[in-house]
Amino acid sequence: MKNTPMTLIDRMTFREIVRISCAILRNNFFYGDDLLKKFLAIFIDEFSSALVHFRDTAEKRTISNLLYSYEARFTFTCYFQSKIIRDVLIYDFDFSEKELQAFENIVSKYAGDNANEDQSRCARTYYRKFSQ
């Protein structure tokens, strides 16, 4: 498998986490289209840079594991993406600890124990991983 940064993540998980994050920002923090576009632009830039840096500095065994193990890609995507989202909310959107905690609590409504049965596993994992 070709070693490009995007091959290190699970794309379905990536899309689901972005979808949930944008829905929370739109529906619960009342972000309009302009702020959502700004959030996505900053997030994609930060995520891309961090992913390239990770790929360039990680051990070959770790990269190999991500390339060939779906479970490794899934888990890595959840943790890595959640960390970047958290950083963007704190450093670029000046979320207070209280706002961040509210965001984390709302994630469960979209992806946690109270979510509909048809919620995907990646959405539930996003909820469990976000605050770590």
Side-chain angles (χ1 to χ4, degrees):
M1 184 178 280
K2 191 174 180 183
N3 178 4
T4 65
M6 288 303 287
T7 58
L8 302 178
I9 66 165
D10 178 59
R11 290 176 189 209
M12 183 183 85
T13 303
F14 178 86
R15 283 190 299 267
E16 186 68 8
I17 291 173
V18 169
R19 184 192 67 75
I20 289 171
S21 298
C22 288
I24 291 169
L25 292 172
R26 179 182 299 280
N27 299 333
N28 301 94
F29 288 86
F30 308 106
Y31 277 36
D33 289 342
D34 290 341
L35 275 176
L36 283 175
K37 286 178 187 176
K38 179 181 176 184
F39 168 78
L40 286 172
I42 294 169
F43 167 73
I44 294 299
D45 185 53
E46 294 291 325
F47 185 84
S48 300
S49 297
L51 191 59
V52 168
H53 177 73
F54 175 83
R55 185 208 51 197
D56 293 344
T57 59
E59 292 181 10
K60 290 183 186 211
R61 190 177 91 205
T62 301
I63 297 296
S64 180
N65 194 26
L66 290 173
L67 290 173
Y68 297 105
S69 168
Y70 167 76
E71 200 61 38
R73 271 191 315 278
F74 170 79
T75 302
F76 173 75
T77 302
C78 291
Y79 278 105
F80 195 77
Q81 191 171 1
S82 297
K83 166 78 169 93
I84 302 296
I85 289 171
R86 191 180 206 305
D87 287 351
V88 168
L89 292 176
I90 292 170
Y91 300 115
D92 295 294
F93 287 86
D94 299 319
F95 264 46
S96 67
E97 196 59 40
K98 189 174 183 177
E99 289 170 316
L100 192 60
Q101 190 172 35
F103 185 93
E104 292 169 358
N105 290 335
I106 294 166
V107 171
S108 67
K109 292 180 181 179
Y110 287 83
D113 296 330
N114 298 329
N116 295 330
E117 288 299 314
D118 64 347
Q119 286 287 337
S120 67
R121 184 171 65 113
C122 62
R124 290 189 304 274
T125 299
Y126 172 51
Y127 166 65
R128 290 192 302 267
K129 308 296 188 221
F130 183 80
S131 63
Q132 298 179 359

